[in-house]
Amino acid sequence: MPNRLLLKAAQSKQLESFTTRNRFTRPVVHRYVAGYTVQDAWNIAAELKADGIDVSLDFLGESVEDLAQVPDAIREYRTAMERLAEVSPGATISVKLSQLGVLIDPQQCAEHLEDLLHTAAEYNIGVELDMEHSSAGRPTLEIFRQFLPRFPRLRQAFQSYLRSTLADLASFDDVQPCIRLVKGAFDEPVTLAFQDAAEVTNQYKYLSAWALQHLPDPAFGTHDESCISYVIYLAKELNIAPSDFEFQMLYGIRRDRQRELAQQGYRVRVYLPYGAQWYPYLMRRMAERPANLMLFLRSAIGK
Ligand code: FAD
């Protein structure tokens, strides 16, 4: 399970300010983040596409404290979409609703999302909603429900560590949702989330089987080999074609496996973040694998 201390550090504004101003951290940042500009992201999206790998582009930023920041994020996504489908046909964008102000004003957030959804449709680009900390989880899910009938290809991330996930998935009756199944990357209390890694993995496998049998075009966002091979095994058992589901992985993690799956005929999508606000994203990656932290700390102190 993600390391709790590092997840707390992900929320520290002081640490954020120290590390983001520190030029020595750049090499480690670049392992997980495409770069600072949309051009960096387009370049990497095109490289991945040449290897048969799609992307989901994430303009980094989350939990805005002021709604005045939201239009900048919308503008950036619009700019990103102008060339995205050209450099990587089949690409999607991934959006965090806390970046669109869901924690401050859910109604305004929904209006901003609608704006993005229309622009994305014009460019033939799919939209995926990340699932964040549970404080943003319920409002995110409500907005997703509200849009699903009109935008049935909108994809929502669901976390296998949450005890409520199966009930949430089973609660859709008319339009069945497209989902991205992930284990979950935030610090959640035991009342809401399984805490034991093996239990979260078992739950992931159980929900994978459920999604393959009940939901359209599920996406499996994981680097866990036991989960990946379980999905491959189940799909074969259930006679589900590789074109009817996809694997998703994060940029910089298990690159060889990403290529290998694509070469074997599976659909693979890489979550590709870019932008200056990389700190909380990167700290969550450290929390998933604390061994990465030594590399990061050494670079931060210039060793
Ligand atoms: P783990 O058991 O954590 O990892 C399996 C193996 O993968 C590890 O042994 C290691 O070899 C490798 N690995 C995993 N993480 C790292 C790392 N950081 N650095 C290096 N190697 C690593 N979480 C959310 O809460 N909401 C989201 O919307 C969300 N979207 C995601 C989208 C995608 C495409 C992916 C792949 C993940 C997303 N996550 C999201 C993160 C997810 O919840 C997990 O925290 C993360 O994927 C690690 O879990 P795992 O399934 O890879 O399994």
Side-chain angles (χ1 to χ4, degrees):
M1 286 300 290
N3 181 293
R4 282 219 139 107
L5 200 62
L6 291 176
L7 287 180
K8 293 240 179 318
Q11 293 163 336
S12 161
K13 290 286 169 207
Q14 276 166 319
L15 271 178
E16 176 165 4
S17 150
F18 170 71
T19 46
T20 48
R21 279 188 284 122
N22 185 327
R23 69 192 162 89
F24 293 114
T25 54
R26 276 187 196 165
V28 182
V29 175
H30 280 281
R31 178 178 162 191
Y32 292 102
V33 172
Y36 290 89
T37 68
V38 71
Q39 186 62 56
D40 296 329
W42 287 332
N43 291 346
I44 290 183
E47 280 170 29
L48 287 164
K49 191 69 194 179
D51 284 337
I53 295 172
D54 287 322
V55 295
S56 191
L57 205 66
D58 166 41
F59 172 55
L60 290 162
E62 53 196 80
S63 302
V64 294
E65 286 165 0
D66 182 350
L67 287 177
Q69 295 169 273
V70 178
D72 289 343
I74 300 283
R75 256 193 304 278
E76 180 65 33
Y77 269 117
R78 280 222 194 99
T79 307
M81 285 192 281
E82 278 169 18
R83 285 203 52 217
L84 186 58
E86 185 190 316
V87 297
S88 175
T92 64
I93 56 167
S94 278
V95 181
K96 287 184 174 52
L97 291 193
S98 76
Q99 189 179 24
L100 306 190
V102 76
L103 292 168
I104 307 171
D105 184 340
Q107 180 57 38
Q108 266 198 54
C109 170
E111 285 164 22
H112 286 302
L113 177 64
E114 177 151 14
D115 184 12
L116 264 189
L117 286 167
H118 285 298
T119 312
E122 279 167 35
Y123 288 111
N124 200 19
I125 288 173
V127 179
E128 313 197 18
L129 300 182
D130 290 350
M131 184 51 87
E132 302 177 65
H133 184 262
S134 55
S135 52
R138 284 293 129 190
T140 295
L141 212 49
E142 273 163 34
I143 291 177
F144 174 66
R145 275 183 200 286
Q146 177 189 328
F147 281 103
L148 185 60
R150 278 190 299 140
F151 297 92
R153 304 298 294 170
L154 176 62
R155 189 181 292 282
Q156 174 66 62
F158 282 85
Q159 298 149 324
S160 78
Y161 67 11
L162 284 189
R163 297 176 190 277
S164 58
T165 293
L166 181 59
D168 284 335
L169 289 178
S171 69
F172 292 86
D173 4 89
D174 294 344
V175 187
Q176 291 302 305
C178 288
I179 71 161
R180 172 207 301 156
L181 186 63
V182 298
K183 287 188 182 174
F186 297 83
D187 187 15
E188 298 290 359
V190 65
T191 45
L192 296 182
F194 300 107
Q195 307 290 315
D196 177 62
E199 209 168 358
V200 174
T201 301
N202 284 342
Q203 190 66 4
Y204 191 96
K205 290 178 183 169
Y206 181 80
L207 292 169
S208 301
W210 198 90
L212 278 169
Q213 290 170 90
H214 295 94
L215 302 180
D217 192 26
F220 300 98
T222 182
H223 318 94
D224 183 338
E225 196 51 46
S226 79
C227 295
I228 294 170
S229 33
Y230 186 66
V231 167
I232 291 175
Y233 161 80
L234 266 181
K236 283 185 184 149
E237 284 290 300
L238 296 165
N239 266 327
I240 296 172
S243 53
D244 290 338
F245 63 95
E246 74 178 22
F247 290 110
Q248 296 194 353
M249 294 195 208
L250 300 175
Y251 177 65
I253 303 181
R254 302 205 68 196
R255 290 175 194 213
D256 291 350
R257 189 63 173 130
Q258 294 167 12
R259 277 196 212 98
E260 191 180 56
L261 283 167
Q263 280 159 8
Q264 288 168 350
Y266 292 101
R267 283 164 51 205
V268 180
R269 186 177 301 281
V270 162
Y271 185 100
L272 186 62
Y274 78 97
Q277 292 185 47
W278 48 261
Y279 176 80
Y281 176 84
L282 198 77
M283 289 310 281
R284 286 198 291 277
R285 305 297 72 89
M286 301 291 139
E288 283 153 7
R289 204 169 188 231
N292 293 340
L293 185 66
M294 281 319 290
L295 203 66
F296 185 65
L297 288 177
R298 272 205 224 109
S299 65
I301 57 173
K303 288 269 160 78

